[in-house]
């Protein structure tokens, strides 16, 4: 079976492509390389530089490579950026999905694994968050993913698509060869590692006045290889369950200050930090209940402690100090 991995030159897509190849699947990566890196595409995967919004191109790729399933990672995914440029988020994440689904429909491909997000929930009324919590996003990024999930349900009802929407909490860590390299980098763990390494003057702590134990935001960090595992399991279960949405997290929340302590423990270096205002769109606390993914997909995260996750991110950074170098 051939799997099309859109965004396979990006962080989570490249790790998943690597694991799909390891599991004996044929993989074709489609990426427009605006944020991805050509050298992140794992060896053994076919690569086509294309945008998912280019339906005609996508139709041709689906046909030529005998694709039976699409894993859709390519998206704009920054909460802060979505609060200043909503058009980019609805264009790339909603229009992009529709064009991709239409190309699939034309080619008779109906299996779809979708990268969704905890940001669909907004400020959740209960934590850990179950999948049936209200979907009330507090930023256009979450809104774009929630909208795409609803669109997918119609393709399921009308065209017989089979899909899983995997709602990631905070992806972190790295495999040996694939890690996080964004430009600009906005994520907490890579920024803290970079501050510890002396590459940046300090890390800004976005808000200390949240209703959390130490006043900083709490997030659920999940190892990127555990996320990749869940994609492969979800692919194997398509059509076997009525459930489409699955949270992927560890079920443990860590504050920004706890993450900084973990980075200091793992690196043995201090993280210079300064207080900064809240980042617009940030909910106070996002922690997953992943009971459904465990029960239905048989998912078992293997690298669960914050220190393990940070250690792998640090190891990758030391192995690739310039990231992917492009
Ligand atoms: N954060 C921070 N300083 C930074 C980057 C992030 O304090 O330089 C905080 C951010 O407000 C959030 C948490 O760290 O509460 C995780 O942010 P990240 O951007 O890594 O992921 P997100 O939760 O937005 O997906």
């Amino acid at each position: 079976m051939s799997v099309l991995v859109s965004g396979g030159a990006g962080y989570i897509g490249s790790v998943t492509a690597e694991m799909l190849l390891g599991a004996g699947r044929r993989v074709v990566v489609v990426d427009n390389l605006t944020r991805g890196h050509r050298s992140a595409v794992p060896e053994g995967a076919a690569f086509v530089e294309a945008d998912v919004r280019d339906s005609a191109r996508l139709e041709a790729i689906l046909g030529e490579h005998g694709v039976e399933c699409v894993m859709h990672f390519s998206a704009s995914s920054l909460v802060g950026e979505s609060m200043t440029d909503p058009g980019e988020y609805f264009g790339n994440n909603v229009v992009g999905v529709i064009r991709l689904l239409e190309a699939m429909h034309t080619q008779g491909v109906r299996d779809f694994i979708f990268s969704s997000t905890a940001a669909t929930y907004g400020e959740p009324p209960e934590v850990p968050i179950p999948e049936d919590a209200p979907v009330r996003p507090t930023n256009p990024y979450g809104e774009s993913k929630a909208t795409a999930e609803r669109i997918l349900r119609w393709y399921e009802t009308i065209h017989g698509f089979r899909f899983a929407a995997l709602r990631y909490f905070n992806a972190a860590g790295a495999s040996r060869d694939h890690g996080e390299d964004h430009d600009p980098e906005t994520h907490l763990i890579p920024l803290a590692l970079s501050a510890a390494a002396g590459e940046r003057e300090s890390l800004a702590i976005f808000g200390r006045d949240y209703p959390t134990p130490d006043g900083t935001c709490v997030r659920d960090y999940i190892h990127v290889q555990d996320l990749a595992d869940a994609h492969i399991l979800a692919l194997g279960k398509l059509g076997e369950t009525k459930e489409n949405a699955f949270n992927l997290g560890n079920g443990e929340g860590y504050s920004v200050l706890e993450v900084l302590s973990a980075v200091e423990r793992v690196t043995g270096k201090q993280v210079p930090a300064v207080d900064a205002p809240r980042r617009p769109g940030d909910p106070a606390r996002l922690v997953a209940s992943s009971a459904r993914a465990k029960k239905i997909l048989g998912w078992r995260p293997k690298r669960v402690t914050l220190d393990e996750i940070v250690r792998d991110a640090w190891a990758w950074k030391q192995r690739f100090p310039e990231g992917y170098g492009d």
Side-chain angles (χ1 to χ4, degrees):
M1 175 201 275
S2 195
V3 181
L4 187 151
V5 179
S6 84
Y11 173 40
I12 308 170
S14 65
V15 173
T16 307
E18 182 182 43
M19 289 178 71
L20 281 165
L21 289 163
R25 308 279 195 183
R26 276 180 296 137
V27 172
V28 52
V29 167
V30 172
D31 200 297
N32 65 9
L33 298 183
T34 52
R35 297 248 160 124
H37 310 272
R38 177 64 185 89
S39 57
V41 177
E43 218 173 286
F47 175 69
V48 184
E49 186 175 340
D51 192 295
V52 290
R53 285 165 285 192
D54 185 346
S55 309
R57 196 81 198 287
L58 258 290
E59 279 172 32
I61 298 164
L62 290 166
E64 276 161 26
H65 290 266
V67 171
E68 290 173 70
C69 166
V70 172
M71 291 193 181
H72 180 44
F73 295 90
S74 56
S76 304
S77 61
L78 302 175
V79 166
E81 185 184 60
S82 80
M83 293 292 284
T84 57
D85 190 1
E88 161 70 17
Y89 281 72
F90 296 120
N92 197 15
N93 299 359
V94 180
V95 177
V97 159
I98 297 170
R99 296 259 172 88
L100 179 53
L101 294 175
E102 281 301 303
M104 290 173 66
H105 176 53
T106 305
Q107 288 295 323
V109 181
R110 283 193 282 269
D111 286 354
F112 195 74
I113 308 290
F114 180 59
S115 298
S116 190
T117 171
T120 52
Y121 296 113
E123 286 287 356
E126 61 171 317
V127 172
I129 311 169
E131 286 84 353
D132 53 13
V135 168
R136 284 195 295 245
T138 52
N139 52 66
Y141 168 53
E143 188 74 71
S144 70
K145 291 288 184 175
T147 304
E149 283 194 19
R150 283 199 297 276
I151 290 169
L152 272 165
R153 290 202 180 88
W154 290 110
Y155 277 74
E156 178 185 50
T157 306
I158 297 166
H159 292 321
F161 274 54
R162 307 192 300 179
F163 79 97
L166 304 181
R167 295 179 179 160
Y168 311 157
F169 283 61
N170 286 60
S175 68
R176 183 176 168 276
D177 293 326
H178 297 274
E180 201 166 1
D181 179 7
H182 298 115
D183 184 19
E185 187 54 75
T186 62
H187 292 107
L188 180 61
I189 292 177
L191 285 175
L193 289 173
S194 161
E199 295 166 358
R200 60 185 69 232
E201 217 169 276
S202 60
L203 178 102
I205 297 171
F206 294 147
R208 276 186 181 264
D209 57 348
Y210 284 96
T212 58
D214 66 20
T216 64
C217 281
V218 168
R219 293 289 181 275
D220 181 338
Y221 295 88
I222 177 78
H223 198 290
V224 65
Q225 287 178 302
D226 286 323
L227 286 183
D229 274 340
H231 288 73
I232 294 170
L233 290 167
L235 176 57
K237 294 280 180 189
L238 282 179
E240 281 181 33
T241 166
K242 283 199 170 56
E243 304 293 359
N244 296 120
F246 296 94
N247 287 339
L248 300 178
N250 273 316
E252 286 291 332
Y254 295 99
S255 71
V256 172
L257 296 183
E258 286 173 320
V259 170
L260 299 192
S261 299
V263 167
E264 291 186 339
R265 272 195 304 278
V266 166
T267 61
K269 298 169 196 292
Q270 253 208 309
V271 179
V274 295
D275 290 345
R278 287 183 177 198
R279 186 173 64 179
D282 269 347
R285 195 155 174 245
L286 289 173
V287 180
S289 163
S290 296
R292 183 185 284 176
K294 288 179 178 149
K295 185 162 170 237
I296 295 180
L297 304 180
W299 184 55
R300 298 280 174 276
K302 296 185 194 83
R303 305 118 184 132
V304 292
T305 68
L306 188 55
D307 284 31
E308 278 173 283
I309 293 171
V310 171
R311 200 172 303 130
D312 281 356
W314 181 233
W316 189 79
K317 183 170 173 56
Q318 288 178 301
R319 224 166 107 69
F320 300 96
E322 308 298 325
Y324 288 108
D326 52 0

